[in-house]
Amino acid sequence: MPNVFLALAHRPEEFRAFFAYHDALMDKQGGLSKAEREMIVVATSGANHCQYCVVAHGAILRVRAKDPRVADQVAVNYRKADITPRQKAMLDFAMKVALESATVGDADFAELREHGFSDEDNWDIAAIAAFFALSNRMANVTSMRPNDEFYLMGRVAKEK
Amino acid sequence: MPNVFLALAHRPEEFRAFFAYHDALMDKQGGLSKAEREMIVVATSGANHCQYCVVAHGAILRVRAKDPRVADQVAVNYRKADITPRQKAMLDFAMKVALESATVGDADFAELREHGFSDEDNWDIAAIAAFFALSNRMANVTSMRPNDEFYLMGRVAKEK
Amino acid sequence: MPNVFLALAHRPEEFRAFFAYHDALMDKQGGLSKAEREMIVVATSGANHCQYCVVAHGAILRVRAKDPRVADQVAVNYRKADITPRQKAMLDFAMKVALESATVGDADFAELREHGFSDEDNWDIAAIAAFFALSNRMANVTSMRPNDEFYLMGRVAKEK
Amino acid sequence: MPNVFLALAHRPEEFRAFFAYHDALMDKQGGLSKAEREMIVVATSGANHCQYCVVAHGAILRVRAKDPRVADQVAVNYRKADITPRQKAMLDFAMKVALESATVGDADFAELREHGFSDEDNWDIAAIAAFFALSNRMANVTSMRPNDEFYLMGRVAKEK
Amino acid sequence: MPNVFLALAHRPEEFRAFFAYHDALMDKQGGLSKAEREMIVVATSGANHCQYCVVAHGAILRVRAKDPRVADQVAVNYRKADITPRQKAMLDFAMKVALESATVGDADFAELREHGFSDEDNWDIAAIAAFFALSNRMANVTSMRPNDEFYLMGRVAKEK
Amino acid sequence: MPNVFLALAHRPEEFRAFFAYHDALMDKQGGLSKAEREMIVVATSGANHCQYCVVAHGAILRVRAKDPRVADQVAVNYRKADITPRQKAMLDFAMKVALESATVGDADFAELREHGFSDEDNWDIAAIAAFFALSNRMANVTSMRPNDEFYLMGRVAKEK
């Protein structure tokens, strides 16, 4: 059981809302793959220096992307990661939402359209970055620890 | 009906989770008054340059605090607002959660304890700042507009 | 009598120079309307977290623009305010002068020319942003308080 | 004739107010020596990357302090300059006024009192930092150039 | 062969100086263990968003510390890592050298002394942070890639 | 003897590596003149607030460029210095390497190519900025002082 469940358990209403929100964003269908959704989490959580989210969602990203290296790359500097130009545009926008949302404007949406993202995709990107703005802050304040197994998950072939 | 309802309505699952989370934090009992909860919203939303949240929650703060001026003060610079030292300590912590949560540590909790805040109060402060980190980002990305009536609400005696 | 008069009164020479400078910039004729001059004050004072100037000049802006909402919008995030593209370009430049004047260069003036601003207009925008860089700092250091009547001025029809 | 005179000459009212303000702050008697007033100018103008003010007031500082090296030191990093602890406290405060005036508070004034500064001295420090916040911005926007003779003034013995 | 060797190979003089400097700092005896030296590299390289150094030196840190998790923790937020208070003080100083060396002063050295660091240890901490300021910049500019084997090294028991 | 020699002397291995690296970058032939190499040092050292490097390399820059004013200009704000557009592009890139190397990318290299810089020139610019990132940090931590003669060197005709 991921430690985030334990951390939120003494506040049942917040617990239920948190996971309902999380699942609505991370498990839905749409223009973004599940691996791409996790990339957004890892990149913005790296920018927010959130140990729990980088390690736990880095594990999920490795599993979803079937790639043992992409999570470490995206956590440190997505601009240098082995991802597509479309994914870099997605993360450019996600990082702007995470770090300076007041400056988001029409030029950003035009750029996203050029990479084939729909309005619903843009909402997804923004909403994931925004939801983990919340999540990163709670994990940092509570010094939430990743479960030990997350560190290695998805790194060796047999675990995929 | 506040415009935030309209903005989220086309995503019913996110809508329900958002308001469940909001109500769990803003309507609960505890060591923080309802006006103090709104102060946290207004101060951190000012720091995030979120027009919707500063104007809409500024209105609620004026009503809850029965004070026509506190919201404008807190939105611009809570350090110079007509609030108590305890409330300034609350906002010092909320702003740290909003802007640099990775550096939150034991010294912050010790400072909060000196002002009489309990562990549950601290969670509330952090969770409100974190929830509006999410909310501010969505409002900025969607250019959410405050309803016209929020601008004046709570500013003149008969409206209190 | 606005509190800024009282705050500066014990230094008569500075008092006279301050108001002479202020009036030379804010009361002059030129390509910028009086409401636009106040917009520059409110936007840059918001960025400098100056309670006195946001509240007092917010009041004047509401009166000059005959608009009860523009001041609150511009104070929080001028990019999302109900103003013209030309006014946004004006405020882009004013904010650059306020926050990172060392990087102002030819590209900024070319942008301003495209929106129809003359060299004298550009000087006005820069000079207002620069003068309130001074004013905001003095108000912050002296914890200058806005007069109570500024909070409501220009918000209700009969006051316009 | 310093180039700042030429730059402002086409705006006679602003010209008169600027120099009246300047002289009220820089030529007055008080707890700060004239060299110390120039130190504030050089340190804060360095932080604002204002070529005119660092070079022109660096010259005046060398002359006033009868020290050929102090200006270059203070312009780059006053913390490492050959100045007294009292002067470092003065510049700590001036830099806070220049760069983050919204956070100035009682603790700053307590620190200044410990170094023997009076309330009037504190006003002088803040007002000089604030006035050159204005001046630096105008010089940066107009690309004001220092006169050639300022570069060498006060550097060699016979010029003192 | 680590990719950094290849990247620098076409500049033999720089290559020799780089590795001579590196070895002088990382292989020397002294108050810091080899694992602690690598912690400094990983923490400051994380702050500089250097993919090569975080991944390659993260591997070495895991091996040297015989700890499969410490590198990921330190790379994201050393304040929340499973390290000693003395190591946190070491990294507080290293990060200050990496990010704002102009403000390093006596108070920092007093803090280090309280944790038992000698003057030579302090030089080592600063010099490692400074050397990787160089290294991180070259790796970022050249988009240097970590060798694939670094990602997994030190993560599983048999590799220790 | 420049003080940097004394400061590093008690660490002979680091001393040798430091000067070998320095000479490999600063004394080599290539597309950058020796004066241009020193410009990079002065501009980035100004940004890092390194007194030793601004004063010492400012002296060398004056001598190499046979220009008594360029060093003071570049140290404060290279954008306003009397240098060529090609040199400003060189310093734009050097400053990006110094201050935010994680964002360096293809667009930067395209811009440099337009100004006629070769791949080897780009390496030189980056490597000089990176080497002085190291040097500035060591000078700041050790409070290294410039030799007195550097302040005046290259300022008066007979010294050129």
Side-chain angles (χ1 to χ4, degrees):
Chain A
M1 174 171 293
N3 286 339
V4 62
F5 285 74
L6 301 177
L8 288 170
H10 84 294
R11 293 268 184 129
E13 286 180 287
E14 296 167 41
F15 179 101
R16 280 190 298 269
F18 182 93
F19 288 105
Y21 216 138
H22 175 279
D23 295 351
L25 294 170
M26 302 305 287
D27 294 346
K28 83 189 280 284
Q29 303 299 316
L32 308 180
S33 72
K34 288 196 175 177
E36 286 169 342
R37 291 168 198 269
E38 296 296 335
M39 269 181 209
I40 297 169
V41 180
V42 173
T44 60
S45 299
N48 288 327
H49 308 292
C50 177
Q51 186 191 110
Y52 180 86
C53 296
V54 168
V55 174
H57 288 271
I60 308 175
L61 171 52
R62 287 190 295 270
V63 172
R64 295 256 155 102
K66 299 190 197 311
D67 180 334
R69 290 184 284 277
V70 66
D72 292 349
Q73 294 173 359
V74 165
V76 178
N77 189 354
Y78 73 95
R79 296 177 198 83
K80 309 286 185 184
D82 293 318
I83 56 177
T84 65
R86 181 181 173 274
Q87 289 168 340
K88 286 189 187 170
M90 174 187 81
L91 294 179
D92 281 339
F93 180 60
M95 292 294 259
K96 196 166 185 182
V97 174
L99 298 177
E100 42 168 351
S101 68
T103 68
V104 168
D106 291 345
D108 299 299
F109 296 113
E111 181 73 19
L112 288 162
R113 253 191 312 274
E114 278 193 27
H115 284 89
F117 291 105
S118 70
D119 288 356
E120 293 303 307
D121 295 338
N122 297 346
W123 179 289
D124 282 354
I125 301 169
I128 294 169
F131 180 78
F132 281 88
L134 180 164
S135 182
N136 292 169
R137 281 159 180 76
M138 289 311 290
N140 274 335
V141 169
T142 60
S143 293
M144 197 184 293
R145 311 304 308 270
N147 302 50
D148 285 359
E149 49 270 45
F150 286 140
Y151 288 87
L152 193 58
M153 193 182 292
R155 292 190 182 274
V156 285
K158 63 181 175 292
E159 292 196 342
K160 279 183 198 167
Chain B
M1 175 173 293
N3 287 339
V4 62
F5 283 74
L6 301 175
L8 288 170
H10 84 295
R11 294 268 185 130
E13 286 180 287
E14 296 168 41
F15 179 100
R16 279 190 298 269
F18 182 92
F19 289 105
Y21 216 138
H22 175 279
D23 294 351
L25 294 170
M26 302 304 286
D27 295 346
K28 81 188 282 283
Q29 303 299 316
L32 307 180
S33 71
K34 288 196 174 176
E36 286 168 342
R37 291 169 198 268
E38 297 295 334
M39 268 182 209
I40 297 169
V41 180
V42 172
T44 60
S45 299
N48 288 326
H49 307 292
C50 177
Q51 186 191 109
Y52 181 86
C53 295
V54 168
V55 174
H57 288 272
I60 307 176
L61 171 53
R62 287 190 294 271
V63 171
R64 294 258 156 102
K66 300 190 195 314
D67 179 335
R69 289 184 285 276
V70 66
D72 292 349
Q73 294 172 359
V74 165
V76 179
N77 189 353
Y78 73 93
R79 295 176 198 85
K80 309 285 185 182
D82 293 318
I83 56 177
T84 65
R86 180 180 174 275
Q87 289 168 340
K88 286 188 188 172
M90 174 187 81
L91 294 178
D92 281 339
F93 180 60
M95 292 294 260
K96 197 167 184 181
V97 174
L99 298 176
E100 43 167 351
S101 69
T103 67
V104 168
D106 290 345
D108 299 299
F109 297 113
E111 181 74 19
L112 288 162
R113 252 191 312 274
E114 277 192 28
H115 283 89
F117 292 104
S118 70
D119 287 356
E120 292 304 306
D121 295 337
N122 297 346
W123 179 288
D124 282 355
I125 300 169
I128 294 169
F131 179 78
F132 282 87
L134 180 165
S135 181
N136 293 169
R137 281 160 180 75
M138 290 310 290
N140 274 335
V141 168
T142 60
S143 294
M144 196 184 294
R145 311 305 308 269
N147 302 50
D148 285 359
E149 49 270 46
F150 286 141
Y151 289 87
L152 193 59
M153 193 182 291
R155 293 190 181 275
V156 285
K158 63 180 175 293
E159 292 196 342
K160 279 182 198 167
Chain C
M1 173 172 294
N3 286 339
V4 61
F5 283 75
L6 301 176
L8 289 170
H10 85 294
R11 293 268 184 130
E13 286 180 288
E14 295 168 43
F15 179 100
R16 279 190 298 268
F18 182 93
F19 288 105
Y21 216 137
H22 176 279
D23 294 351
L25 294 170
M26 302 305 286
D27 294 346
K28 83 189 280 284
Q29 302 300 315
L32 307 181
S33 71
K34 288 196 173 175
E36 286 169 342
R37 291 169 197 268
E38 297 295 334
M39 268 182 210
I40 298 169
V41 180
V42 173
T44 60
S45 299
N48 289 327
H49 307 293
C50 177
Q51 186 191 110
Y52 181 86
C53 296
V54 168
V55 174
H57 288 271
I60 308 176
L61 171 53
R62 286 189 296 271
V63 171
R64 294 257 155 103
K66 299 190 196 312
D67 179 334
R69 290 184 284 276
V70 66
D72 292 349
Q73 294 173 358
V74 165
V76 178
N77 189 354
Y78 73 94
R79 295 176 200 82
K80 309 286 185 183
D82 292 318
I83 57 177
T84 66
R86 180 181 174 275
Q87 289 167 341
K88 284 187 189 171
M90 174 186 82
L91 294 179
D92 281 339
F93 180 60
M95 293 294 260
K96 197 166 185 182
V97 174
L99 297 177
E100 42 168 350
S101 68
T103 67
V104 168
D106 290 345
D108 300 299
F109 296 114
E111 181 73 19
L112 288 162
R113 252 191 312 274
E114 278 192 29
H115 283 89
F117 291 105
S118 70
D119 288 356
E120 292 304 307
D121 295 338
N122 297 346
W123 179 288
D124 282 356
I125 300 169
I128 294 169
F131 179 77
F132 282 88
L134 180 165
S135 182
N136 292 170
R137 281 159 179 76
M138 290 310 290
N140 273 336
V141 169
T142 61
S143 293
M144 198 184 291
R145 312 304 308 269
N147 302 50
D148 285 359
E149 49 269 47
F150 286 141
Y151 289 86
L152 193 58
M153 193 181 291
R155 293 189 181 274
V156 284
K158 63 180 175 291
E159 291 197 344
K160 278 182 198 167
Chain D
M1 174 171 295
N3 286 340
V4 62
F5 284 75
L6 301 176
L8 288 170
H10 84 295
R11 293 268 184 130
E13 285 180 289
E14 295 167 42
F15 179 99
R16 279 190 298 269
F18 182 93
F19 289 105
Y21 215 138
H22 176 279
D23 294 350
L25 293 170
M26 302 305 286
D27 295 345
K28 82 188 282 281
Q29 302 300 316
L32 307 181
S33 72
K34 288 196 174 176
E36 286 169 341
R37 291 169 197 268
E38 297 295 333
M39 269 182 210
I40 297 169
V41 180
V42 173
T44 60
S45 299
N48 288 326
H49 307 293
C50 177
Q51 186 190 110
Y52 181 86
C53 295
V54 168
V55 174
H57 288 272
I60 307 176
L61 171 53
R62 287 190 294 271
V63 171
R64 293 258 156 102
K66 299 190 195 313
D67 179 334
R69 289 184 286 275
V70 66
D72 291 349
Q73 294 173 358
V74 165
V76 178
N77 188 353
Y78 73 94
R79 295 175 199 84
K80 308 287 184 182
D82 293 318
I83 57 177
T84 65
R86 180 181 174 276
Q87 289 168 340
K88 285 188 187 172
M90 175 186 80
L91 294 178
D92 280 339
F93 180 61
M95 292 294 259
K96 197 166 184 181
V97 174
L99 298 176
E100 42 168 351
S101 68
T103 67
V104 168
D106 291 346
D108 300 299
F109 296 113
E111 182 73 20
L112 288 163
R113 251 191 313 273
E114 277 192 28
H115 284 90
F117 291 105
S118 70
D119 288 356
E120 292 304 306
D121 295 337
N122 296 347
W123 179 288
D124 282 354
I125 300 169
I128 294 168
F131 179 78
F132 281 88
L134 180 164
S135 181
N136 292 170
R137 281 159 180 76
M138 290 310 291
N140 274 336
V141 169
T142 60
S143 293
M144 196 184 293
R145 312 304 309 270
N147 302 50
D148 285 358
E149 49 269 47
F150 286 140
Y151 289 87
L152 194 58
M153 193 182 291
R155 292 189 182 276
V156 285
K158 64 180 175 292
E159 292 196 343
K160 279 182 199 169
Chain E
M1 173 172 296
N3 286 339
V4 61
F5 283 75
L6 302 176
L8 288 170
H10 84 295
R11 293 270 184 127
E13 285 181 289
E14 296 168 42
F15 179 99
R16 280 190 297 270
F18 182 93
F19 289 105
Y21 215 137
H22 175 279
D23 294 350
L25 294 170
M26 303 304 287
D27 295 345
K28 82 189 282 282
Q29 302 299 315
L32 307 180
S33 72
K34 288 197 174 176
E36 286 168 341
R37 291 169 198 268
E38 296 295 334
M39 269 182 210
I40 297 169
V41 180
V42 173
T44 60
S45 299
N48 288 328
H49 307 292
C50 177
Q51 185 190 112
Y52 181 86
C53 296
V54 168
V55 174
H57 288 272
I60 308 176
L61 171 52
R62 286 190 295 271
V63 172
R64 295 258 155 102
K66 300 190 195 310
D67 178 335
R69 290 184 286 276
V70 67
D72 292 348
Q73 294 173 357
V74 165
V76 178
N77 189 352
Y78 73 93
R79 295 176 199 83
K80 309 286 186 184
D82 292 318
I83 56 177
T84 66
R86 178 180 175 276
Q87 289 167 340
K88 286 188 187 171
M90 174 186 81
L91 294 178
D92 281 339
F93 180 60
M95 293 294 260
K96 196 167 186 181
V97 173
L99 298 177
E100 42 169 350
S101 68
T103 67
V104 168
D106 291 345
D108 299 300
F109 296 114
E111 181 73 20
L112 288 163
R113 251 190 313 273
E114 277 193 28
H115 284 89
F117 292 105
S118 71
D119 287 356
E120 292 304 306
D121 295 338
N122 297 346
W123 179 289
D124 282 355
I125 301 169
I128 294 169
F131 179 78
F132 281 88
L134 180 165
S135 181
N136 292 169
R137 281 159 180 76
M138 289 311 289
N140 274 336
V141 169
T142 60
S143 293
M144 198 184 293
R145 312 304 309 269
N147 303 50
D148 285 358
E149 50 269 47
F150 286 140
Y151 289 86
L152 193 59
M153 192 181 292
R155 292 189 182 275
V156 284
K158 62 180 176 292
E159 293 196 343
K160 279 182 200 167
Chain F
M1 174 171 295
N3 286 339
V4 62
F5 284 74
L6 301 177
L8 288 171
H10 84 294
R11 294 270 186 129
E13 285 180 289
E14 296 168 41
F15 178 100
R16 280 190 297 268
F18 183 92
F19 288 105
Y21 216 137
H22 175 279
D23 295 350
L25 294 171
M26 302 304 287
D27 295 344
K28 83 189 279 282
Q29 302 299 316
L32 307 181
S33 71
K34 288 197 174 176
E36 286 169 342
R37 291 168 197 269
E38 296 295 335
M39 269 182 210
I40 297 169
V41 180
V42 173
T44 60
S45 299
N48 288 327
H49 307 294
C50 177
Q51 187 191 108
Y52 181 86
C53 296
V54 168
V55 174
H57 287 271
I60 307 176
L61 171 53
R62 286 189 296 270
V63 171
R64 294 257 156 102
K66 300 191 196 310
D67 179 334
R69 288 183 286 276
V70 66
D72 292 349
Q73 294 173 359
V74 165
V76 178
N77 189 352
Y78 73 94
R79 296 178 199 81
K80 309 288 185 182
D82 293 319
I83 57 177
T84 66
R86 181 181 173 275
Q87 289 167 340
K88 285 188 188 173
M90 174 188 81
L91 293 179
D92 281 339
F93 180 60
M95 293 293 259
K96 197 167 185 180
V97 174
L99 298 177
E100 41 168 352
S101 69
T103 68
V104 168
D106 290 345
D108 300 299
F109 297 114
E111 182 75 19
L112 288 162
R113 253 191 312 274
E114 278 193 28
H115 283 89
F117 291 105
S118 71
D119 287 357
E120 292 304 306
D121 295 338
N122 297 347
W123 179 289
D124 282 355
I125 300 169
I128 294 169
F131 179 78
F132 281 88
L134 181 165
S135 181
N136 292 170
R137 280 158 180 77
M138 290 310 290
N140 273 336
V141 169
T142 60
S143 293
M144 197 184 292
R145 311 305 308 270
N147 302 50
D148 286 359
E149 49 270 45
F150 286 140
Y151 288 87
L152 193 59
M153 192 182 291
R155 293 189 181 275
V156 284
K158 62 179 175 294
E159 292 196 343
K160 280 183 200 166

